[in-house]
Amino acid sequence: MTGIGGELGAQAARSRALAVLRVRGRALAVALLPAAAEVILLTGGSTGHLVGPGWDTARWVVGVVAVVVLLAAAGIALVVARARPAMTPTVPVSEESAPDLYRLVRDLADRLDVPAPSAIALTPDCDSWLEDRTHPAHGPPARSAPDEPAEPGPATGPGAHRRPAPAPVLVIGSPFLWWMRVGELRAVLAPVVAGTGPSAHPDIAAARRFVRGLDATVAVASTPGRCVLTRGVCAVLGWVARLLLRGCREHAVLMERGVAAAAAERAQAVDYGLRIVAQEQVGLAYAGWDRLLTRVALPAWRMGRWPSRLDAGVVAALTELSRRDRLAEGFASRLGERPACDLLEEPGAIDEATSLLAARLFHGGPAECGPDWAPVDWQAYPEEVVDRTWRADAARLHRVLDSLGVRPAPGAPAPGSDGPTLARVLDHLTEPGHWEQGDQPVPAVAQGVLLRPEDEVLPHPDGLTPEEPADATLREAVDGSPREAVAQTRPEAIAPHPEAPADQAGPAAPGRAEAPPADAAADAPHPDTAAEAPPADAAAGAPHPDAAADDAPHPDADDEYADPSTERSAVLAAGLSAELAREEIAAPRGATASGLIPDSALWDDGSLPLFPLQPPRGARELLADHVTAMVCCAAVDTAGAAPGLDWLDGPSLVLGGERAADLAPKVLSLIEEGDPRPLRDWLAASGIRPEKPVRLV
């Protein structure tokens, strides 16, 4: 039986539901007030009491106002009643495909003495709830079984003569089915299923319908792309709906709290001890699901592949976590018990449909498979996703280097031969002050001075690396001349628009206060010159560059989130951001047909993704990913390494049978400080040859 706390919660929920309905009643009374005044005036005139020209005018004015108000109230009431409430995108589970799961839920409802949910659906999230889908736009209302008990209520009262509302739909988080055992799932669902009892009360159901209708009306009024007259009508409609929502907001919140308290109190008698252990599994499943989506699924989605067994991957990820985390040592012993996914007849098909829905919700992918949007199994993930991602990023990196006019590294193959090398990237990002003793410094033209097509480089008389360009402008650039000389060699291709000023750089890197000047990459100072050159418009009496570097604030000093990087890294990162943005704009978005998810026709596909996993990558992170991808390609092609999959960290490089986990800090040292020595030492120790060409996509 429901305890004292449950009874108090149910009574509080019903009283708050009546308060919400009173707000609706007051709104109706306000709408009828002009009509009531008109009835009084007409009655007074017919009885000879309210006669005269003034009363006749009042009757006409009040009559017109009453008609307008009644028409407006009828229109608003019609919109509130027919506006489609928001519905969570889910994968429906029919009783034929999961008879054991339906049987478990109905047995649980019998033990709790509440109506059973009308249907079951899955969502790609670690949560479970009840959702009312009785609106006509959601399909025909589900009928409760004849033997389902109604929520006990008072013998007399507003809800005594009304029929119970149809039971809501039970939405279950799909990771729970694959990670939890049957007993744990029953314990987790007990408080949720217990909520069908208070939901069946007519007053609570009516109050919820009213609030959902107002919310849907606000959404209808906020729809863009309407004409001027329609926008005015929608403005009035939205104002009225928001006014009513403000009036019943507090009562609706307290009503839901009372429903939750009554459901929790009722569920305490069912598997109370097991529910404590199950709640620990909820937190663990949430952590593993989040890591799986952000580290494993997101790289595949960006490549146009969607893992078709995400829920099965949760088990692998959490099993791996149980091996690493001492807090999860005892959780692996649970794997011998029956998993909750055994309650499904075809768990693979359900997992595939849920995985596709997750890709749409969190990434915005299409609903149908195609050449640019295909499923991938976990066995093929390293080859189909990891290796292709690395080579696509490496190819993009070299395309940007080509657009910047960066020459191949010394000793690299001639242009047009086998392919680009990692040495080209290392030499371009290396700051002159970090050349090791005994190394041959790369001239400015080889380090990234941007050449015009008409510029020529004189060959060295001994056939060595070219050192002196034929053009006097480039000769001054090699000697460490001011920025004006280098700015004259900038190609027009890197400007964002053909009509942009000559000193304007490419797209600004996200997260920086100002876009780095394009000549930052071209300005390759001599190792003996100052770290920073004076601006182009500096006065003749400006202080020495060394003093200016110490006293003048950095351009990003006021930007708390500025990325620490060299000038060349900043320009290269900006080029990568622009190139990636162009690719995303040119990439076709898939069709929005219903596909595997029948419910998808009831929600707006144009607003996808509804829940983006993370903001776009910053410029520094983007450059680090591309340089890391180039290193991994070189390791695979020259050192016998292989792409791998880490269930918790995503794509990984397997070198010598072990995962290379110490690569990231060495790449950041190159990007942020221009120091290639940690990365070069790691490459030499791993047997990776940066001068060898690699295969790109």
Side-chain angles (χ1 to χ4, degrees), residues 315-329:
V315 180
L318 295 180
T319 304
E320 178 67 19
L321 181 63
S322 67
R323 297 192 185 102
R324 299 183 187 181
D325 195 346
R326 291 182 299 175
L327 298 177
E329 289 179 354

Side-chain angles (χ1 to χ4, degrees), residues 60 98 116 135 172 259 275 280 306 326 438 692 694:
W60 277 104
H135 194 273
I172 305 175
V259 170
R275 187 159 61 252
E280 298 177 355
W306 53 278
R326 291 182 299 175
K692 291 291 185 180
V694 298

Side-chain angles (χ1 to χ4, degrees), residues 219-374:
V220 170
S222 304
T223 304
R226 301 182 183 273
C227 64
V228 178
L229 180 60
T230 310
R231 282 201 299 267
V233 175
C234 289
V236 176
L237 180 65
W239 178 81
V240 174
R242 293 186 182 92
L243 182 64
L244 293 176
L245 277 176
R246 285 194 296 269
C248 60
R249 177 183 304 167
E250 182 179 358
H251 300 300
V253 170
L254 295 178
M255 177 186 68
E256 297 299 337
R257 289 180 181 176
V259 170
E265 180 68 23
R266 184 185 293 269
Q268 284 187 358
V270 178
D271 299 332
Y272 179 75
L274 186 59
R275 187 159 61 252
I276 298 177
V277 179
Q279 289 299 329
E280 298 177 355
Q281 303 303 319
V282 171
L284 187 65
Y286 184 86
W289 180 249
D290 180 72
R291 292 287 290 267
L292 187 73
L293 291 180
T294 56
R295 306 292 181 88
V296 179
L298 188 58
W301 294 338
R302 287 173 174 164
M303 279 299 299
R305 297 290 185 269
W306 53 278
S308 58
R309 296 294 185 269
L310 278 179
D311 293 307
V314 173
V315 180
L318 295 180
T319 304
E320 178 67 19
L321 181 63
S322 67
R323 297 192 185 102
R324 299 183 187 181
D325 195 346
R326 291 182 299 175
L327 298 177
E329 289 179 354
F331 294 155
S333 60
R334 305 167 41 261
L335 301 180
E337 304 175 10
R338 185 190 182 193
C341 62
D342 284 353
L343 301 174
L344 304 174
E345 290 293 319
E346 297 182 1
I350 298 295
D351 194 359
E352 184 174 356
T354 308
S355 300
L356 180 58
L357 178 59
R360 303 188 66 196
L361 294 180
F362 298 117
H363 185 67
E368 295 179 345
C369 299
D372 297 329
W373 187 248

Side-chain angles (χ1 to χ4, degrees), residues 35-72:
E38 178 65 14
V39 170
I40 295 175
L41 292 175
L42 291 175
T43 304
S46 63
T47 58
H49 291 82
L50 304 177
V51 294
W55 290 108
D56 294 337
T57 303
R59 273 188 286 270
W60 277 104
V61 173
V62 175
V64 172
V65 172
V67 171
V68 172
V69 172
L70 287 177
L71 291 177

Side-chain angles (χ1 to χ4, degrees), residues 9 17 89 92 107 216 236 247 261 266 335 345 354 369 393-394 426 431 445 474 489 564 576 584 588 599 644 657 663:
D107 292 343
V236 176
R266 184 185 293 269
L335 301 180
E345 290 293 319
T354 308
C369 299
D393 289 350
L426 295 177
E431 287 294 293
V445 292
L474 293 180
T489 67
L576 288 172
E584 292 179 352
D599 289 348
L663 179 58

